[in-house]
Amino acid sequence: MAGDNANGDDGRRAGRRSTVLKAAGLTLAGTLVLGIAAAGWAYWHLNSNIKSVDINSALGDDRPPRAVTTPTPSGTASAPASPSTSPSPLPSGSLNILVLGSDSRSGKENQALGGGSSTGARSDTAMVVHLDAGRTKATVVSIPRDTLVTRPSCPLPSGGSTAVAYGAMFNSAYSVGGAVCAVKTVESITNVRMDHYIEIDFSGFAKLVDALGGVTVTTDEDIDDQDSHLRLDAGTHELDGTQALALARTRHGIGDGSDLGRIGLQQKLVKALLEQIASTDLLSHPTQLYDVADAVTGSLTTDTGLDSLTELMRFGESLKGLPADRTTTVTMPVVQAPSDRNRVVAEEPEASALWESLR
C-alpha cells in the first residue's frame, strides 16, 4: 500500500510539473507572438508614416546626369541578408540630396509652432547635402530662400505646368509646384542632379529634437526675436524641440536681420543634431529609438527611392562611417540683388565653382 501511495504521489507531482511546463510554454509562446505582433505593428506604423513624391516620373529625362555610383567591395559592411539570399553590398557612391524644411501650417501642431495662415507652404529651409564617394565626408550647402532665380516651368499634379518666372524668389518654387518644382529649380540653378529628396515639417523637427532629449547649441550673440518668440543670452544652451525650431526660424535681432544670419544658426543646429545623434546609443534604448523613428517618419516626405522604412534604414546604414566632424556646412555665395536690396543673387563665378565641386 505504501508503494501504491508513493507511486500515486509521484504521478500527481509529474502531472503538476507537466501542467506547469505547459503553462510556462503557453506563456512563452504567447509572449513571443505578442512581441512579433508588436514588432510587426511598429514596422507597419513607421512605414505607413512616410509620404512620398514620384519626382523621377514627374521630371522625366530632362535633368542633369546622375553621378556614377559604385557598390562597396565584397566583404565590407552590408545590409543584413535573409537566409535565402547572399549579402547585398551597401551603396557607397556619391549622392546629392535636396533637404527642405517646410513651413507648412497644415494641421494643429504645425499651426501652433508656425503661426500664420493655415493654407499654403514654402521651403523655409533649403539645403543640398552632398555625400562624397565612400560616404566618409559630407558637404551641406544652404540656399538662401531670398535668392532671386529663374524659376523653370514645372509640371503640376493636376496636369499642365507653371510658367517660367524670371527674378522669382527661390522659395516660391515649392509654393507654386511643390517638391517637384523645388527639385527642378535647384537642378536648373546648380546643374547638379538631386538623387533624393527629403522634406520635414515644423512639428516633425520639434518632435525629433524632443525624442533625442534636446540639443546643445552655442550662440555667439544674444537673441531676441519677436517673430520666432525666442530669447537667448549668448552662450551654450540645452534646447527642447520648440526652442530648437524657434532658433532655426530666427532671423531678426541677429546680424543684419537677413536670411543669411538665420542660415548660420541653422547650420549650427544641423551640426549639433548630428553630434547628438552620434552620442545617443539608440540601439540600447528601444523606446527612445522608436520615438525618434516615429518623429522622423511621421513628418517626412521623400522621393520614391526612400519611401519605405527598409530603404531609409539601408540608407542610414550606408552612412555609419560618416562622423559628425566630417560634415562641412557652407552657404551658396551670394551678393545683394541690384533690383532689390532685400534680396540676393548668386555670386559668380564662385557659386558655379561650388556646384561644380559637387558633381
Side-chain angles (χ1 to χ4, degrees):
M1 294 294 294
D4 290 342
N5 287 336
N7 290 336
D9 290 342
D10 288 344
R12 283 192 292 274
R13 282 196 293 270
R16 284 196 295 271
R17 281 197 300 270
S18 177
T19 301
V20 169
L21 288 173
K22 286 179 181 177
L26 289 172
T27 301
L28 178 59
T31 302
L32 288 173
V33 168
L34 287 174
I36 292 170
W41 179 89
Y43 183 92
W44 174 85
H45 173 71
L46 295 174
N47 198 61
S48 62
N49 271 347
I50 305 166
K51 300 177 287 292
S52 66
V53 179
D54 192 351
I55 290 171
N56 288 336
S57 294
L59 294 183
D61 297 327
D62 186 20
R63 304 176 64 186
R66 295 181 184 274
V68 177
T69 59
T70 6
T72 53
S74 177
T76 58
S78 59
S82 64
S84 59
T85 61
S86 58
S88 175
L90 290 172
S92 63
S94 63
L95 277 183
N96 289 296
I97 306 164
L98 177 60
V99 179
L100 293 188
S102 166
D103 72 347
S104 169
R105 275 56 185 275
S106 62
K108 291 182 180 179
E109 290 178 323
N110 280 323
Q111 289 180 40
L113 291 167
S117 170
S118 62
T119 60
R122 294 170 300 178
S123 50
D124 201 52
T125 301
M127 297 178 175
V128 173
V129 178
H130 173 78
L131 302 173
D132 282 9
R135 312 284 171 93
T136 57
K137 291 190 300 181
T139 303
V140 179
V141 183
S142 297
I143 303 176
R145 69 176 192 172
D146 295 338
T147 305
L148 298 182
V149 301
T150 296
R151 192 181 67 224
S153 174
C154 300
L156 295 172
S158 57
S161 58
T162 64
V164 176
Y166 300 95
M169 277 182 59
F170 168 75
N171 70 339
S172 69
Y174 185 90
S175 300
V176 302
V180 170
C181 197
V183 169
K184 186 166 185 179
T185 301
V186 169
E187 290 185 344
S188 72
I189 65 177
T190 65
N191 197 30
V192 175
R193 173 82 170 227
M194 295 298 109
D195 301 290
H196 290 299
Y197 169 81
I198 296 175
E199 175 190 332
I200 189 166
D201 66 20
F202 277 176
S203 66
F205 178 80
K207 286 179 180 177
L208 171 61
V209 173
D210 284 336
L212 287 168
V215 63
T216 303
V217 176
T218 300
T219 59
D220 300 323
E221 57 182 303
D222 296 344
I223 296 175
D224 186 0
D225 189 336
Q226 298 303 313
D227 290 344
S228 67
H229 310 293
L230 182 67
R231 295 189 63 183
L232 289 176
D233 295 331
T236 300
H237 302 273
E238 182 78 18
L239 306 181
D240 63 19
T242 301
Q243 292 170 317
L245 177 61
L247 183 69
R249 299 180 63 229
T250 291
R251 68 184 292 177
H252 302 294
I254 56 165
D256 60 1
S258 73
D259 195 39
L260 299 180
R262 172 166 53 187
I263 284 175
L265 293 177
Q266 290 173 348
Q267 291 173 345
K268 281 179 179 286
L269 198 51
V270 166
K271 285 203 165 185
L273 268 176
L274 291 175
E275 290 167 359
Q276 179 70 10
I277 292 170
S279 65
T280 304
D281 186 8
L282 294 175
L283 293 179
S284 299
H285 302 84
T287 301
Q288 187 181 17
L289 175 60
Y290 176 82
D291 289 343
V292 169
D294 193 36
V296 171
T297 59
S299 298
L300 198 67
T301 301
T302 71
D303 66 284
T304 50
L306 290 176
D307 64 352
S308 75
L309 194 57
T310 299
E311 289 161 339
L312 284 174
M313 289 170 63
R314 182 170 166 79
F315 173 68
E317 181 74 5
S318 77
L319 301 179
K320 67 180 184 180
L322 175 62
D325 61 3
R326 297 293 303 277
T327 299
T328 303
T329 56
V330 298
T331 302
M332 181 181 79
V334 293
V335 293
Q336 187 181 95
S339 60
D340 187 340
R341 62 185 301 272
N342 295 314
R343 303 286 180 258
V344 295
V345 293
E347 182 179 15
E348 298 295 357
E350 289 82 357
S352 292
L354 172 62
W355 299 125
E356 177 66 31
S357 71
L358 304 186
R359 293 186 193 124

